[in-house]
């Protein structure tokens, strides 16, 4: 696909203009030979939506901002130089990488048993998070669910849930969840997250 736009969609005389992006650097034949969850690795999203914005805020507003990544040890070891580079690129941020994800998400999506029971092994890593933040923003259903379980440890923090998508419905509709029981499990967890967090960021149709 091509990312493109034009100001007036009803004007057939105006051609679409391609939006500059770095997709070609991260996607190709080698990527498509892998499983579909590996097909796109566009670092622009995390850098522009999170790191660049927070780095600017920390600098302008004199804020103390920490960005924490969770990953399994293999991914951490493979990309350790990239993580180190991030720390030097965004000098106004504290960037922490915690390689303690024991059960990868792709295993959770294939098995109800793994998602409901074994995924709790990943909870261990969340005890390494600093607990005196004024505001704590989570950007995934997995991290938000675990934070909801540990809310007593973050009682002083304003918890904000940024889901970015309707994860349970999206994963099931696109075939990532192997059974409807997984969708129902995550809908229950979603309900718990919404009841636990102080604020929720939502995106509506334009």
């Amino acid at each position: 696909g091509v990312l493109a736009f034009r100001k007036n969609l009803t004007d057939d005389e105006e051609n679409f203009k391609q939006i500059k992006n770095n997709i070609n650097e991260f996607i190709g034949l080698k990527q498509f030979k892998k499983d579909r969850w590996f097909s796109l690795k566009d670092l622009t999203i995390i850098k522009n939506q999170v790191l660049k914005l927070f780095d600017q805020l920390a600098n302008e507003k004199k804020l103390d901002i920490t960005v924490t990544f969770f990953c399994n040890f293999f991914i951490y070891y493979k990309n350790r130089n990239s993580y180190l580079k991030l720390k030097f690129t965004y000098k106004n941020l504290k960037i922490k990488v915690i390689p303690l994800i024991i059960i990868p998400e792709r295993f959770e999506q294939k098995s109800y048993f793994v998602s409901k029971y074994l995924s709790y092994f990943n909870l261990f890593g969340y005890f390494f998070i600093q607990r005196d933040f004024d505001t704590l923003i989570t950007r995934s259903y997995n991290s938000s669910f675990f934070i909801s379980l540990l809310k007593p440890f973050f009682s002083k923090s304003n918890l904000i849930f940024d889901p970015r998508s309707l994860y349970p419905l999206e994963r099931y509709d696109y075939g990532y969840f192997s059974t409807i029981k997984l969708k129902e499990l995550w809908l229950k967890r979603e309900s718990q997250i919404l009841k636990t967090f102080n604020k929720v960021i939502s995106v509506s149709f334009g």
Side-chain angles (χ1 to χ4, degrees), residues 52-64:
K52 187 176 180 180
L53 174 62
F54 282 171
D55 188 63
Q56 184 178 350
L57 283 172
N59 184 44
E60 293 179 357
K61 303 294 184 179
K62 307 304 178 185
L63 299 175
D64 183 9

Side-chain angles (χ1 to χ4, degrees), residues 24-72:
N24 288 336
E25 298 176 26
F26 298 95
I27 193 168
L29 183 60
K30 184 178 180 181
Q31 292 298 323
F32 278 116
K33 287 181 178 179
K34 298 181 179 180
D35 195 6
R36 59 187 171 185
W37 65 276
F38 265 134
S39 64
L40 181 61
K41 295 182 178 179
D42 189 357
L43 295 181
T44 298
I45 295 175
I46 187 68
K47 288 181 179 179
N48 287 348
Q49 287 189 4
V50 181
L51 299 181
K52 187 176 180 180
L53 174 62
F54 282 171
D55 188 63
Q56 184 178 350
L57 283 172
N59 184 44
E60 293 179 357
K61 303 294 184 179
K62 307 304 178 185
L63 299 175
D64 183 9
I65 299 177
T66 300
V67 178
T68 303
F69 295 92
F70 288 93
C71 61
N72 65 50

